[in-house]
Amino acid sequence: MRYLFILLALIAVNLISTQPAISEEIEKIQLEMRDYDGVTLPAGTFIPVLNTQEISTQTCPEGYKVKFISTNDLFLHETNVIPRDTEFYGYIEKINEPIVGTNAAMRIKITKLVMKDGFEIPIKAYLYSSNDNLIGGELTPPAQWVRMPHYQSRFQGISWIHRGATLQMRPGGTRMMGVHTTVPVGDQQIIVLVAPAEITHTVNEY
């Protein structure tokens, strides 16, 4: 009985001595977990990026994979949610071939971002264009210009006085054949989120 009492006393002393260390470890884990609550980037967020390879409607088919790299840190409040040099991956979703009157166009969809430590986050975004995110598709110049008379006149008293006509150049009714659209390597572009992105991970650079 005496030995049993000594054994129980030793166990109790050991538990009391390790209790502060256990409490400190639990508190440390809780503090670390608070940094991973995640943030939500709203739809419409713009992200400046750099193109890493030439993308052309002439040489790249639909489905061609593309890669961009962010050129700035993107902060939300005080958190750097998308650090500089984060990689963005996607593909050419749609290509419109050049036709008479319109240049070729393409829509580039972005599907994920990869941070510098390799952590991947799925996103829904496009390479931005004011033309419904369609890169290219501009009207081509007129195929010809025609001379048309422009009559000059002014109102004097109660009647119009005509002073003859001058010839002016006006665009004809047809336009030139469209050309292919290219996004050069190293070109500065903007990615726009079309749906909220859940950023569940941050990179600690310190």
Side-chain angles (χ1 to χ4, degrees):
M1 180 66 71
R2 178 181 176 185
Y3 293 110
L4 179 61
F5 178 77
I6 293 174
L7 181 61
L8 291 174
L10 289 174
I11 293 173
V13 170
N14 186 50
L15 288 174
I16 293 172
S17 63
T18 58
Q19 186 66 32
I22 294 173
S23 298
E24 289 177 5
E25 190 65 28
I26 292 174
E27 183 177 354
K28 182 180 178 182
I29 293 173
Q30 289 176 340
L31 287 173
E32 290 177 352
M33 290 178 65
R34 289 174 193 168
D35 293 333
Y36 293 91
D37 290 341
V39 296
T40 301
L41 285 178
T45 299
F46 290 101
I47 306 168
V49 292
L50 192 74
N51 183 28
T52 63
Q53 82 262 40
E54 183 177 275
I55 308 171
S56 173
T57 57
Q58 186 174 17
T59 58
C60 302
E62 291 184 356
Y64 182 82
K65 295 181 179 179
V66 297
K67 174 184 173 183
F68 301 87
I69 298 178
S70 61
T71 57
N72 301 92
D73 294 324
L74 180 62
F75 285 85
L76 188 63
H77 305 299
E78 298 180 355
T79 304
N80 185 4
V81 292
I82 300 182
R84 181 178 179 177
D85 296 330
T86 296
E87 298 175 348
F88 292 82
Y89 293 87
Y91 62 93
I92 300 178
E93 183 181 61
K94 180 179 178 61
I95 290 179
N96 295 335
E97 295 293 334
I99 59 175
V100 173
T102 307
N103 291 331
M106 56 184 163
R107 184 175 286 114
I108 298 176
K109 186 174 185 179
I110 307 299
T111 57
K112 71 176 179 179
L113 64 84
V114 180
M115 296 189 177
K116 288 185 282 188
D117 61 357
F119 192 86
E120 297 184 7
I121 297 177
I123 61 173
K124 186 176 181 181
Y126 284 92
L127 202 63
Y128 174 73
S129 164
S130 59
N131 184 24
D132 193 27
N133 299 326
L134 200 63
I135 310 299
E138 304 89 356
L139 289 177
T140 59
Q144 61 179 351
W145 293 80
V146 295
R147 295 187 179 188
M148 297 185 64
H150 176 69
Y151 295 97
Q152 297 180 348
S153 60
R154 65 185 180 87
F155 188 76
Q156 182 174 352
I158 59 173
S159 63
W160 287 94
I161 298 177
H162 299 285
R163 294 190 173 183
T166 58
L167 293 177
Q168 291 185 345
M169 299 299 293
R170 299 286 179 90
T174 59
R175 291 184 174 270
M176 297 177 64
M177 180 65 187
V179 298
H180 283 280
T181 294
T182 300
V183 181
V185 60
D187 197 38
Q188 296 275 352
Q189 294 288 332
I190 294 176
I191 287 173
V192 58
L193 296 177
V194 295
E198 299 294 332
I199 308 299
T200 57
H201 176 80
T202 56
V203 176
N204 187 359
E205 301 183 5
Y206 302 101

